[in-house]
Amino acid sequence: MTGDKLVVENLNAWYGKTHAVQDISLSFPDKRATAIIGPSGCGKSTFIRCLNRIHETQPKARAEGKVLLDGADVYADDPTEIRRKIGMVFQRPNVFPTMSIYGNVAAGLKLHGGYSHDEMDRLVIESLKKAALWEEVKEKLDQSALQLSGGQQQRLCIARALAVQPEVLLMDEPASALDPISTARIEDLIFDLKNQVPVVIVTHNMQQAARVADRTAFLYLGKLVEVAPTRDLFERPAEKLTESYITGRFG
Amino acid sequence: MRPPKRLRRRVKSAVLLGLCATAVLITLLPLASILLECFVNGAGAITPAFFLQNPPPPCNPGPTTPCPVGGIQDALLGTLLLVVVASLIALPVGILGGIYLSEFQDRPLARPARFLADVMTGIPSIVIGVFVFGIFLFFAEQGWISSFSITSGYTGAVALAVIMIPVVARTCEEALRLVPVSIREASLALGIPRHRTILRIVLSAARGGVITGALLAVARAGGETAPLLLTAGFTTGAITGLSGWTPSLPVLIYYSAAGGYANTTQLAWGAALMLVLIMLLISVGARLALRNKFGGRTA
Ligand SMILES: Nc1ncnc2c1ncn2[C@@H]1O[C@H](COP(=O)(O)OP(=O)(O)OP(=O)(O)O)[C@@H](O)[C@H]1O
Ligand SMILES: [Mg+2]
């Protein structure tokens, strides 16, 4: 398919002998948000962690298959370069505890080097604005990131990921630890962000998938069962398995 | 009516609390009495001259003979020099070793290295003194160093460094392990290379523990006597850099207290008080350093 930013072909992933992701092929078009749903333990996190090659940083973890970013094989490139291009937001906010709010957002830029102070300031402000956090923190950029609330910390993590100008954004249940208001803000954010970069979001919340995603993929026991435009998947699932999952009649 | 069970629980709780409080008292008692004893016996020796003189010949005061207490000038300087040079060796080696133990656990060398570090912390320090002395003796026999350098400040600093390295490495390892995987992943996911993630993100997140470990090691080295007896030597004269016999506070205390003369005993008490105060200063300094710049304490 042309126009796909990220293409996954026959991806397999293991933890030791556990075959967590089994032969998944899936592509992610530009300027779209794709949701990944499925029961706990079906391999959603493992799958997206293979896309930016974070999976292989764990002991005994291994991946095989092809992931193409703009047609170039991610697994043939330098992993640090890939991780800069494919950003990731985790389930729990993981701010750098000894850094200020500004320092957190600037961390990627600083440690990559090659940015002037003005550029850095501009990118930090821009990212905080995109992450809908600027108004809340503009007066206290030099204060500890730990003093922010959980929802603010998560938006800070989003800003931090955006600051290095990724070409794809992966999000692993980014709102699952948050209250409804923070969740709504993050959903709005995803809705805006997807116009700039393709967003892949893992979620347990089917309403959330329906609200933010253009396409939804259903995973079960490490395999891809079905992928379709979100509305079709929820209203007319092609597979029996998908239907029983989304209607809550499972097992 | 109150059920008797609840009463029994209250009594149990009170007894246990009492036991804990007693244990705390027992722990603090020796510490308090050491401090008190040092102050009572040593405070009198500490005058400005105490810092500007060296140990006197031993004597007991008579009606006509003057019997000065002397001072610790060069021993204090010697201890500072020894500890600084030992730290220059031990901190980089220890911290890098700690990083290896914590961040490269899956490497085949990690387990034996950790075991070795644990064994090393348990080796009596006099043995380390003998060991380092032996090594320098060997160097001298080979003609690599002058035989005058066997007993020198450098040898002493190496002996202190050998004592410090395993302490620094193991505390650094523990501190790094406390940094959650999620912080490492956050950094890696930004495309920050592994070495920079470790040195700039993980080490920074663990800095509280690393600094504590370093200061613990410094304090330990500053108070060591046995390894210095064989390596740094001692002199009541002036210090000549680290290349010759180098006096230090603990060894000064050792020699001064031994004779039973009034003036050197007084000097030993003064030196002991100074040593205790320096250690206190270091640990208070550590606590202040650990308050991070945002006002809270880091882990
Ligand atoms: N670090 C690990 N070591 C060993 N096995 C793991 C590890 N992480 C995950 N697994 C296994 O891999 C499988 C897939 O896990 P994964 O975390 O990808 O599931 P998930 O779909 O994200 O689940 P959840 O919705 O609960 O987050 C599970 O069977 C899990 O037990
Ligand atoms: Mg998961």
Side-chain angles (χ1 to χ4, degrees):
Chain A
M1 211 199 292
T2 52
D4 287 337
K5 183 79 186 169
L6 195 64
V7 178
V8 181
E9 287 173 5
N10 307 103
L11 187 70
N12 287 279
W14 292 265
Y15 295 97
K17 291 202 161 57
T18 313
H19 195 175
V21 168
Q22 300 173 20
D23 216 32
I24 292 185
S25 299
L26 189 55
S27 45
F28 302 96
D30 213 357
K31 307 206 170 183
R32 294 280 184 277
T34 306
I36 302 200
I37 62 169
S40 186
C42 69
K44 306 179 292 295
S45 298
T46 310
F47 173 70
I48 71 163
R49 288 165 63 90
C50 288
L51 306 186
N52 67 342
R53 298 187 60 178
I54 271 283
H55 174 69
E56 71 199 46
T57 63
Q58 300 164 101
K60 299 211 170 97
R62 189 163 64 83
E64 260 173 30
K66 259 196 185 144
V67 178
L68 305 169
L69 178 67
D70 287 328
D73 192 352
V74 159
Y75 277 84
D77 202 346
D78 170 20
T80 58
E81 194 48 37
I82 289 307
R83 292 180 200 134
R84 203 197 62 68
K85 288 185 191 160
I86 306 181
M88 183 166 228
V89 176
F90 297 82
Q91 179 167 1
R92 296 193 170 276
N94 49 2
V95 300
F96 297 136
T98 49
M99 292 187 186
S100 65
I101 292 170
Y102 181 97
N104 261 276
V105 185
L109 304 171
K110 245 185 218 154
L111 294 181
H112 284 298
Y115 293 86
S116 72
H117 264 280
D118 289 348
E119 261 177 307
M120 211 128 78
D121 285 351
R122 186 179 58 76
L123 281 168
V124 167
I125 294 172
E126 198 181 290
S127 311
L128 282 169
K129 281 184 177 158
K130 275 189 203 160
L133 189 60
W134 173 246
E135 288 304 320
E136 288 152 75
V137 301
K138 65 181 176 192
E139 306 292 340
K140 48 180 182 183
L141 290 175
D142 56 346
Q143 292 177 28
S144 168
L146 288 179
Q147 60 152 303
L148 297 176
S149 75
Q152 289 172 325
Q153 286 189 22
Q154 189 64 310
R155 277 179 280 145
L156 185 67
C157 291
I158 295 174
R160 181 176 67 188
L162 293 176
V164 293
Q165 299 164 285
E167 297 171 27
V168 178
L169 190 63
L170 310 174
M171 305 178 113
D172 191 353
E173 301 183 47
S176 68
L178 304 182
D179 69 290
I181 294 172
S182 304
T183 303
R185 300 200 65 156
I186 288 188
E187 286 178 9
D188 288 346
L189 194 65
I190 296 167
F191 211 82
D192 292 340
L193 283 177
K194 72 176 188 192
N195 292 316
Q196 297 154 43
V197 294
V199 175
V200 183
I201 174 175
V202 170
T203 177
H204 271 291
N205 180 328
M206 281 181 261
Q207 282 82 32
Q208 185 170 66
R211 282 191 295 265
V212 301
D214 306 285
R215 293 160 76 245
T216 297
F218 173 59
L219 263 55
Y220 184 64
L221 294 180
K223 294 201 176 76
L224 174 68
V225 176
E226 181 173 359
V227 55
T230 300
R231 182 164 251 216
D232 295 351
L233 188 112
F234 282 119
E235 285 173 6
R236 297 181 296 278
E239 300 288 330
K240 202 102 201 103
L241 212 52
T242 317
E243 187 184 348
S244 51
Y245 179 68
I246 58 181
T247 52
R249 287 181 280 113
F250 216 68
Chain B
M1 200 183 76
R2 168 175 294 193
K5 227 182 183 173
R6 199 186 278 183
L7 186 68
R8 224 185 311 155
R9 215 178 288 158
R10 280 174 155 231
V11 171
K12 256 192 204 164
S13 160
V15 168
L16 216 63
L17 194 66
L19 282 177
C20 288
T22 318
V24 169
L25 267 178
I26 292 175
T27 320
L28 290 181
L29 214 64
L31 181 69
S33 83
I34 288 173
L35 274 176
L36 195 72
E37 197 88 337
C38 282
F39 261 103
V40 168
N41 294 303
I46 297 182
T47 57
F50 185 69
F51 298 97
L52 301 169
Q53 292 175 3
N54 277 330
C59 63
N60 283 316
T64 51
T65 42
C67 192
V69 170
I72 57 166
Q73 175 182 274
D74 284 17
L76 184 60
L77 205 65
T79 282
L80 292 181
L81 276 175
L82 285 169
V83 169
V84 166
V85 174
S87 302
L88 286 179
I89 304 170
L91 295 186
V93 175
I95 289 174
L96 287 176
I99 289 175
Y100 185 84
L101 294 181
S102 148
E103 307 299 309
F104 300 88
Q105 294 173 33
D106 45 341
R107 302 295 169 95
L109 257 179
R111 274 170 149 275
R114 182 175 305 117
F115 179 68
L116 208 71
D118 283 343
V119 171
M120 265 175 76
T121 15
I123 293 179
S125 55
I126 182 97
V127 176
I128 288 175
V130 174
F131 164 74
V132 173
F133 177 74
I135 287 184
F136 277 72
L137 188 66
F138 173 77
F139 288 169
E141 279 169 1
Q142 302 302 309
W144 296 338
I145 59 170
S146 138
S147 56
F148 293 112
S149 309
I150 303 171
T151 303
S152 74
Y154 292 115
T155 319
V158 170
L160 293 185
V162 173
I163 291 169
M164 289 172 75
I165 287 170
V167 179
V168 177
R170 289 292 270 135
T171 46
C172 177
E173 179 198 354
E174 295 304 329
L176 292 175
R177 275 172 190 254
L178 287 179
V179 178
V181 177
S182 63
I183 299 292
R184 294 178 168 80
E185 285 188 341
S187 173
L188 291 174
L190 287 174
I192 298 172
R194 177 129 189 246
H195 66 274
R196 243 176 264 172
T197 294
I198 292 172
L199 291 177
R200 303 287 297 275
I201 304 286
V202 182
L203 203 56
S204 155
R207 66 187 173 197
V210 174
I211 293 174
T212 311
L215 289 169
L216 236 126
V218 165
R220 164 113 198 255
E224 280 294 347
T225 321
L228 293 180
L229 287 172
L230 282 164
T231 53
F234 185 68
T235 167
T236 55
I239 191 171
T240 53
L242 287 176
S243 51
W245 294 47
T246 303
S248 56
L249 279 181
V251 180
L252 179 143
I253 296 169
Y254 173 76
Y255 283 125
S256 305
Y261 293 94
N263 66 338
T264 49
T265 305
Q266 175 76 55
L267 178 68
W269 276 116
L273 178 59
M274 270 316 292
L275 198 56
V276 169
L277 287 180
I278 291 172
M279 299 303 155
L280 271 178
L281 213 71
I282 289 178
S283 81
V284 170
R287 252 153 245 282
L288 290 181
L290 290 190
R291 280 179 207 286
N292 67 21
K293 60 181 171 186
F294 304 118
R297 264 197 72 171
T298 42

Coordinates of all heavy atoms in Angstrom, one line a residue, chain B residues 123-160:
Chain B
I123 N 37.7 -7.9 53.9 CA 39.1 -8.1 54.2 C 39.6 -7.1 55.2 O 39.4 -5.9 55.1 CB 40.0 -8.0 52.9 CG1 39.7 -9.1 52.0 CG2 41.5 -8.1 53.3 CD1 40.5 -9.1 50.7
P124 N 40.3 -7.6 56.3 CA 40.8 -6.7 57.3 C 41.8 -5.6 56.7 O 42.6 -6.0 55.8 CB 41.6 -7.6 58.3 CG 41.0 -8.9 58.1 CD 40.6 -9.0 56.6
S125 N 41.7 -4.4 57.1 CA 42.4 -3.3 56.3 C 43.9 -3.5 56.5 O 44.7 -3.1 55.6 CB 41.9 -2.0 56.8 OG 42.1 -1.9 58.2
I126 N 44.3 -4.1 57.6 CA 45.8 -4.3 57.7 C 46.3 -5.2 56.6 O 47.4 -5.0 56.1 CB 46.1 -4.9 59.1 CG1 47.6 -5.0 59.3 CG2 45.5 -6.3 59.4 CD1 48.2 -3.9 60.1
V127 N 45.5 -6.2 56.2 CA 45.9 -7.1 55.2 C 46.0 -6.3 53.9 O 47.0 -6.6 53.1 CB 44.9 -8.3 55.0 CG1 45.2 -9.1 53.8 CG2 44.8 -9.1 56.3
I128 N 45.1 -5.4 53.6 CA 45.2 -4.6 52.4 C 46.5 -3.7 52.5 O 47.2 -3.6 51.5 CB 44.0 -3.7 52.3 CG1 42.8 -4.6 51.9 CG2 44.2 -2.6 51.2 CD1 41.5 -3.9 51.8
G129 N 46.8 -3.3 53.7 CA 48.1 -2.5 53.9 C 49.3 -3.4 53.5 O 50.2 -2.9 52.7
V130 N 49.3 -4.6 54.0 CA 50.4 -5.5 53.7 C 50.5 -5.8 52.2 O 51.6 -5.7 51.6 CB 50.3 -6.8 54.5 CG1 51.3 -7.8 54.1 CG2 50.3 -6.6 56.0
F131 N 49.3 -6.0 51.6 CA 49.2 -6.3 50.2 C 49.8 -5.2 49.4 O 50.7 -5.4 48.5 CB 47.8 -6.6 49.9 CG 47.5 -6.5 48.4 CD1 47.9 -7.6 47.6 CD2 46.8 -5.5 47.9 CE1 47.6 -7.6 46.2 CE2 46.5 -5.4 46.5 CZ 46.8 -6.5 45.7
V132 N 49.4 -3.9 49.6 CA 49.9 -2.8 48.8 C 51.4 -2.6 49.1 O 52.1 -2.3 48.2 CB 49.0 -1.5 49.2 CG1 49.6 -0.3 48.5 CG2 47.6 -1.7 48.7
F133 N 51.7 -2.7 50.4 CA 53.2 -2.6 50.7 C 54.0 -3.6 49.9 O 55.0 -3.3 49.3 CB 53.4 -2.9 52.2 CG 54.8 -2.9 52.7 CD1 55.5 -1.7 52.8 CD2 55.4 -4.1 53.0 CE1 56.8 -1.7 53.2 CE2 56.8 -4.1 53.4 CZ 57.4 -2.8 53.5
G134 N 53.5 -4.9 49.8 CA 54.1 -5.9 49.1 C 54.3 -5.6 47.6 O 55.3 -5.8 47.0
I135 N 53.2 -5.0 47.0 CA 53.2 -4.7 45.6 C 54.3 -3.6 45.3 O 55.1 -3.7 44.4 CB 51.9 -4.2 45.2 CG1 50.9 -5.3 45.1 CG2 51.9 -3.5 43.8 CD1 49.6 -5.0 44.5
F136 N 54.3 -2.6 46.2 CA 55.3 -1.5 46.0 C 56.7 -2.0 46.2 O 57.7 -1.6 45.6 CB 55.0 -0.3 46.9 CG 54.0 0.6 46.2 CD1 52.6 0.2 46.1 CD2 54.3 1.8 45.7 CE1 51.7 1.0 45.5 CE2 53.4 2.6 45.1 CZ 52.1 2.2 45.0
L137 N 56.9 -2.9 47.2 CA 58.2 -3.6 47.4 C 58.6 -4.3 46.1 O 59.8 -4.2 45.7 CB 58.0 -4.6 48.6 CG 59.3 -5.2 49.1 CD1 60.2 -4.1 49.7 CD2 59.0 -6.3 50.1
F138 N 57.7 -5.0 45.5 CA 58.0 -5.7 44.3 C 58.4 -4.7 43.2 O 59.4 -4.9 42.5 CB 56.8 -6.5 43.9 CG 56.9 -7.1 42.5 CD1 57.6 -8.3 42.3 CD2 56.2 -6.5 41.4 CE1 57.7 -8.9 41.1 CE2 56.3 -7.1 40.2 CZ 57.1 -8.3 40.0
F139 N 57.7 -3.6 43.1 CA 58.0 -2.6 42.1 C 59.5 -2.1 42.3 O 60.2 -1.9 41.4 CB 57.1 -1.4 42.2 CG 55.7 -1.7 41.7 CD1 54.7 -0.8 41.9 CD2 55.4 -2.8 41.0 CE1 53.4 -1.0 41.4 CE2 54.2 -3.1 40.5 CZ 53.2 -2.2 40.7
A140 N 59.8 -1.9 43.6 CA 61.1 -1.4 43.9 C 62.2 -2.4 43.6 O 63.3 -2.1 43.1 CB 61.2 -1.0 45.4
E141 N 61.9 -3.7 43.9 CA 62.8 -4.7 43.6 C 63.1 -4.8 42.1 O 64.2 -5.2 41.6 CB 62.3 -6.1 44.1 CG 62.6 -6.3 45.6 CD 61.8 -7.5 46.1 OE1 61.1 -8.2 45.3 OE2 61.9 -7.7 47.3
Q142 N 62.1 -4.6 41.3 CA 62.2 -4.6 39.8 C 62.9 -3.3 39.3 O 63.2 -3.2 38.2 CB 60.8 -4.7 39.1 CG 60.0 -5.8 39.5 CD 60.7 -7.2 39.3 OE1 61.2 -7.4 38.2 NE2 60.8 -8.0 40.3
G143 N 63.1 -2.4 40.2 CA 63.8 -1.1 39.8 C 62.9 -0.1 39.2 O 63.3 0.8 38.5
W144 N 61.5 -0.4 39.2 CA 60.6 0.5 38.6 C 60.4 1.8 39.4 O 60.1 2.9 38.9 CB 59.2 -0.1 38.4 CG 59.3 -1.3 37.5 CD1 60.3 -1.5 36.5 CD2 58.4 -2.4 37.4 NE1 60.0 -2.7 35.9 CE2 58.9 -3.3 36.4 CE3 57.2 -2.7 38.1 CZ2 58.2 -4.5 36.1 CZ3 56.6 -3.9 37.7 CH2 57.1 -4.8 36.7
I145 N 60.5 1.7 40.7 CA 60.4 2.9 41.6 C 61.6 2.8 42.5 O 62.2 1.8 42.7 CB 59.1 2.9 42.4 CG1 59.0 1.7 43.3 CG2 57.9 3.0 41.5 CD1 57.9 1.7 44.3
S146 N 61.9 4.0 43.1 CA 63.0 4.1 44.1 C 62.6 3.4 45.3 O 61.4 3.4 45.7 CB 63.3 5.5 44.3 OG 63.6 5.7 45.7
S147 N 63.5 2.7 46.0 CA 63.1 2.0 47.2 C 62.7 3.0 48.3 O 62.1 2.6 49.3 CB 64.3 1.1 47.7 OG 65.4 1.9 47.9
F148 N 63.0 4.3 48.2 CA 62.5 5.3 49.1 C 61.0 5.5 49.0 O 60.4 6.0 49.9 CB 63.3 6.6 48.9 CG 64.7 6.5 49.3 CD1 65.7 6.6 48.3 CD2 65.1 6.3 50.6 CE1 67.0 6.5 48.6 CE2 66.5 6.2 50.9 CZ 67.4 6.3 49.9
S149 N 60.5 5.1 47.8 CA 59.1 5.4 47.6 C 58.2 4.3 48.1 O 57.0 4.4 48.0 CB 58.8 5.5 46.1 OG 59.7 6.4 45.5
I150 N 58.8 3.2 48.7 CA 57.9 2.1 49.2 C 57.1 2.7 50.3 O 55.9 2.5 50.4 CB 58.8 0.9 49.7 CG1 59.6 0.4 48.5 CG2 57.8 -0.2 50.1 CD1 60.6 -0.6 49.0
T151 N 57.7 3.3 51.3 CA 56.9 3.9 52.4 C 56.8 5.4 52.0 O 57.6 6.2 52.2 CB 57.7 3.8 53.7 OG1 57.9 2.4 54.0 CG2 56.8 4.4 54.8
S152 N 55.6 5.7 51.5 CA 55.3 7.0 51.0 C 53.8 7.3 51.0 O 53.0 6.4 51.1 CB 55.9 7.3 49.6 OG 55.1 6.6 48.7
G153 N 53.5 8.6 50.9 CA 52.1 8.9 50.8 C 51.4 8.3 49.7 O 50.2 7.9 49.7
Y154 N 52.1 8.1 48.6 CA 51.5 7.5 47.4 C 51.0 6.1 47.7 O 49.9 5.6 47.4 CB 52.4 7.5 46.2 CG 52.6 8.9 45.7 CD1 53.8 9.6 45.7 CD2 51.5 9.7 45.2 CE1 54.0 10.9 45.3 CE2 51.7 11.0 44.7 CZ 52.9 11.6 44.8 OH 53.1 12.8 44.4
T155 N 51.9 5.3 48.3 CA 51.6 3.9 48.7 C 50.4 4.0 49.6 O 49.5 3.1 49.5 CB 52.8 3.3 49.4 OG1 54.0 3.6 48.7 CG2 52.7 1.8 49.4
G156 N 50.4 4.9 50.6 CA 49.3 5.0 51.5 C 48.0 5.3 50.8 O 46.9 4.7 51.1
A157 N 48.0 6.2 49.8 CA 46.8 6.6 49.1 C 46.3 5.4 48.3 O 45.1 5.2 48.2 CB 47.1 7.8 48.2
V158 N 47.2 4.6 47.7 CA 46.8 3.4 47.0 C 46.1 2.5 47.9 O 45.0 1.9 47.6 CB 48.0 2.8 46.3 CG1 47.6 1.4 45.7 CG2 48.5 3.7 45.1
A159 N 46.7 2.3 49.1 CA 46.1 1.4 50.1 C 44.6 1.8 50.5 O 43.7 1.1 50.5 CB 46.9 1.2 51.3
L160 N 44.5 3.2 50.7 CA 43.2 3.7 51.0 C 42.2 3.5 49.9 O 41.1 3.2 50.0 CB 43.3 5.2 51.4 CG 44.0 5.5 52.7 CD1 43.9 7.0 53.0 CD2 43.4 4.7 53.9

